[in-house]
Amino acid sequence: MPLLKNLPREDPGTPNLTGVWPFLLWIARQQWRTLALGITWGIVWMLAAAAVPVGLGRGITAISEDDMQGVVLWSSVVLVLGIVSAVSGILRHQMAVANWIGAASRIQQLVARQAADLGGDLPKQVATGEVVAVSASDVERIGSAFDVTARMAGAIVSYIAVAIVMVFVSPLLGAVVIVGVPLTALAIAPLVKPLERRESAQRARFGETTELAADTVAGLRVLRGIGGEELFLRRFNEKSGEVRQAAVGTARIRSILDALQVALPGAFLVAVTWIGAQLALTGELTVGQLVTFYGFAAFLVLPLRTVTETAHKWTSARVAARRVIAILSLERQHPDPIDPVSEPGPGDLVDGESGFRVERGHVTALVSGEPHDATAVLERLGGYVPGDVTVAGAPLADLDREVLRRRILVQDKDPIVFAGTVGEFLDVPMSGRVTASAALTSADADEIINGLPDGLASELPERGRTLSGGQRQRLALARSLVADPEFLLLDEPTSAVDAHTEIRIAQQFEGARQGLATVIVTTSPLLLDHADVVALLVDGRVVATGRHRELLRTEPRYRAVVLRDDETLAGLGGAE
């Protein structure tokens, strides 16, 4: 479809997040052309269908009067109306699909952009399952609401046109239509709010269950290792039961709406037909006019059903829009500075809160008996959480984010591997100093590539499920080396590899980082022995620095952490 060739858009725009209706109206304004075309064709489609009973009635009147010219004329009119209805119906449907896809794709782009913008802040503020549920179901519900808009416009205009015609021909039947159709539509109003509440509850339960499922799949290997599958299976069954109960509650309201969608128009059709038949018996209506009124009554079933469908879809869209707005309203914990400073030159990276200093040209190891303390230092140094951090004397919080991400890279202890080829995984912005081949060798990942059927062209599944934890760590380390940032911060990069692999990485790693700064959070003696500087972190503060062997001799707390002497460490109590 030509109207959809520009998808995805270069810029999905800046949405209005002040409320549900302002957000939905903003989407409507962004695609007003397709909405206008859809509404136009929707009106033509329904008016053509509404006019068919007039042609049929006039044709029957011509037959009763033995007027062959009239029969031919009105037969031709009905044929033309049928063709117009068919063509406009096709065009209306095309615009409806365009509106559906346009709205859904725009929201998906907005959510994807927000996820990319928040980065590591996203999972800290909202569950992964919630993001998945929004992208999978909520965007579809909002798109469906824009799909029905063209038919709703046609329903309103055609209803008005039919009512006017009926009033002129028969004031009684016209009054029945004018009063009956709005009353029939209003009969569903009491169900809208309960449906919205129940859909909101169902949507919340669905998000929680999706989150649990995502977390379970991500940690499946660990669960199998500790025998926790049954526990999580019971939890998932409980959550699934809650979703089922919420869905049943929602289905009750929906079933009533669906029943009313058939019953109310049917009752209205019967009433109009009966009144028209009585008028025909008394001679107030001709047979042709009775056929016309019956056709009108039968046609009005379509607008009435469209009204109930619209109420249902826009109710669902409002619930979905609240969820989308909740995600799009999230803010980064470390926002861009309003007035960023100019990029500083080469210099040290310093965390004032802990006293940890990262010097260029050195491999610096950070050792802590409490892993979360060391991770907190890396998060501050990487700019993921606010802190008293400077780079070359300039506050890190005052740097432009593009500068920050180019100069400082943090590799998590459990790196994410996206679906795609190994070559695509290693295709990151780079300085040009380190090739992918050299990075793989430094990370001791050559044997991983050699073991894959197509080498760098081999496909990796989502999260690299076919790889072991150690293989994922080595590929992630190679990717970080290819990126070659000024400051590379590694959080336990070899925690899942064996000792032989770890010593090879320690020996090969230094050459790839020549002249740049590298931080390794680790307690492994094999890596610590190759570090230029080792810093001991106790209670969030650096209490000792030196070489590995020196600290082993002179610092009992360091020795207790590295040698995993928990009894000695407990006796020292962390006091200086």
Side-chain angles (χ1 to χ4, degrees):
M1 190 180 298
L3 291 171
L4 300 179
K5 285 184 177 180
N6 63 337
L7 298 180
R9 302 170 180 84
E10 292 185 9
D11 180 14
T14 303
N16 186 335
L17 303 178
T18 57
V20 170
W21 286 117
F23 175 70
L24 294 173
L25 288 173
W26 175 83
I27 295 175
R29 286 197 298 271
Q30 303 309 302
Q31 53 190 68
W32 68 268
R33 290 181 179 84
T34 54
L35 274 175
L37 283 172
I39 289 171
T40 300
W41 290 121
I43 292 172
V44 172
W45 172 59
M46 281 210 177
L47 282 178
V52 168
V54 176
L56 289 174
R58 292 296 185 89
I60 290 174
T61 300
I63 292 174
S64 64
E65 296 175 353
D66 200 22
D67 180 7
M68 293 307 299
Q69 288 186 342
V71 171
V72 173
L73 171 63
W74 290 108
S75 297
S76 301
V77 169
V78 171
L79 176 62
V80 171
L81 288 173
I83 294 172
V84 171
S85 179
V87 173
S88 59
I90 293 172
L91 296 174
R92 189 272 313 162
H93 181 69
Q94 286 184 337
M95 292 303 102
V97 172
N99 286 322
W100 188 97
I101 296 177
S105 64
R106 185 181 298 277
I107 297 170
Q108 281 185 327
Q109 282 189 257
L110 289 170
V111 172
R113 184 178 68 181
Q114 177 75 338
D117 188 56
L118 290 172
D121 286 344
L122 181 61
K124 299 175 184 177
Q125 300 185 57
V126 64
T128 304
E130 177 68 10
V131 180
V132 173
V134 166
S135 300
S137 63
D138 288 334
V139 297
E140 181 178 347
R141 294 182 179 186
I142 296 174
S144 295
F146 284 93
D147 169 10
V148 78
T149 302
R151 281 182 287 144
M152 184 60 186
I156 294 172
V157 173
S158 61
Y159 156 70
I160 295 173
V162 167
I164 291 173
V165 172
M166 294 182 79
V167 165
F168 276 105
V169 177
S170 172
L172 176 59
L173 280 178
V176 170
V177 171
I178 292 174
V179 175
V181 172
L183 288 178
T184 303
L186 288 174
I188 67 173
L191 298 175
V192 173
K193 279 296 180 182
L195 177 61
E196 186 172 344
R197 286 195 300 269
R198 295 193 183 191
E199 286 207 338
S200 296
Q202 179 188 354
R203 177 61 185 74
R205 299 290 184 274
F206 180 74
E208 293 170 1
T209 305
T210 305
E211 174 191 357
L212 179 61
D215 291 344
T216 302
V217 171
L220 191 56
R221 291 187 178 183
V222 177
L223 289 176
R224 287 174 176 170
I226 63 176
E229 293 170 282
E230 288 298 326
L231 173 62
F232 274 82
L233 182 60
R234 286 196 299 272
R235 289 180 59 189
F236 184 77
N237 285 338
E238 291 173 1
K239 289 292 184 182
S240 297
E242 292 176 4
V243 174
R244 179 180 57 80
Q245 291 175 359
V248 169
T250 303
R252 289 194 182 102
I253 302 294
R254 285 183 179 175
S255 64
I256 296 174
L257 270 176
D258 290 342
L260 291 176
Q261 186 174 340
V262 176
L264 292 178
F268 180 76
L269 172 61
V270 170
V272 171
T273 304
W274 186 84
I275 295 173
Q278 296 302 312
L279 293 175
L281 290 174
T282 60
E284 295 183 40
L285 289 180
T286 65
V287 174
Q289 289 173 329
L290 178 61
V291 170
T292 298
F293 275 99
Y294 177 81
F296 280 155
F299 165 78
L300 287 173
V301 171
L302 178 59
L304 283 173
R305 287 185 177 179
T306 303
V307 169
T308 57
E309 181 185 358
T310 301
H312 176 207
K313 288 189 173 182
W314 276 96
T315 298
S316 298
R318 288 184 61 192
V319 174
R322 290 194 191 98
R323 299 285 179 172
V324 173
I325 291 172
I327 289 181
L328 297 182
S329 298
L330 297 176
E331 296 182 355
R332 293 200 310 272
Q333 295 178 336
H334 186 65
D336 286 335
I338 298 176
D339 187 18
V341 300
S342 58
E343 182 175 355
D348 296 344
L349 183 63
V350 181
D351 177 33
E353 187 172 329
S354 65
F356 182 60
R357 177 179 293 271
V358 184
E359 298 181 11
R360 285 176 56 89
H362 289 82
V363 174
T364 305
L366 183 61
V367 177
S368 175
E370 299 292 340
H372 64 271
D373 287 346
T375 299
V377 173
L378 289 196
E379 288 182 338
R380 290 196 298 270
L381 291 175
Y384 292 107
V385 297
D388 179 20
V389 179
T390 60
V391 56
L396 196 69
D398 293 341
L399 292 185
D400 182 79
R401 186 165 50 137
E402 187 277 328
V403 173
L404 176 64
R405 293 288 163 253
R406 173 166 46 82
R407 297 185 65 170
I408 304 173
L409 173 63
V410 180
Q411 178 180 310
D412 191 71
K413 66 183 68 177
D414 184 20
I416 299 297
V417 177
F418 294 104
T421 67
V422 180
E424 290 171 342
F425 180 73
L426 298 174
D427 185 15
V428 295
M430 60 184 70
S431 66
R433 291 194 336 144
V434 182
T435 64
S437 176
L440 289 168
T441 300
S442 297
D444 199 48
D446 285 328
E447 57 93 6
I448 301 175
I449 306 302
N450 295 334
L452 295 173
D454 299 314
L456 291 175
S458 299
E459 290 284 342
L460 295 176
E462 184 68 26
R463 290 183 173 270
R465 291 188 300 271
T466 56
L467 303 175
S468 68
Q471 288 175 325
R472 287 197 298 271
Q473 282 189 333
R474 283 184 280 165
L475 284 178
L477 179 58
R479 178 176 60 181
S480 297
L481 293 176
V482 169
D484 198 35
E486 180 182 355
F487 298 95
L488 177 57
L489 315 180
L490 305 171
D491 193 355
E492 298 187 15
T494 59
S495 59
V497 305
D498 59 75
H500 296 290
T501 303
E502 191 172 37
I503 190 63
R504 288 196 298 270
I505 292 174
Q507 292 171 344
Q508 298 164 168
F509 175 77
E510 299 176 56
R513 296 292 298 163
Q514 195 78 30
L516 301 176
T518 306
V519 175
I520 304 177
V521 172
T522 184
T523 57
S524 168
L526 296 176
L527 291 179
L528 293 171
D529 198 37
H530 285 77
D532 300 310
V533 181
V534 179
L536 175 64
L537 194 70
V538 177
D539 294 331
R541 294 287 302 175
V542 173
V543 297
T545 58
R547 295 297 295 262
H548 168 60
R549 296 174 187 266
E550 174 191 350
L551 291 175
L552 282 176
R553 291 193 307 270
T554 61
E555 179 53 68
R557 290 168 296 183
Y558 178 81
R559 185 166 55 249
V561 171
V562 172
L563 300 181
R564 294 173 174 79
D565 187 351
D566 295 335
E567 184 176 340
T568 301
L569 189 62
L572 292 170
E576 295 188 38

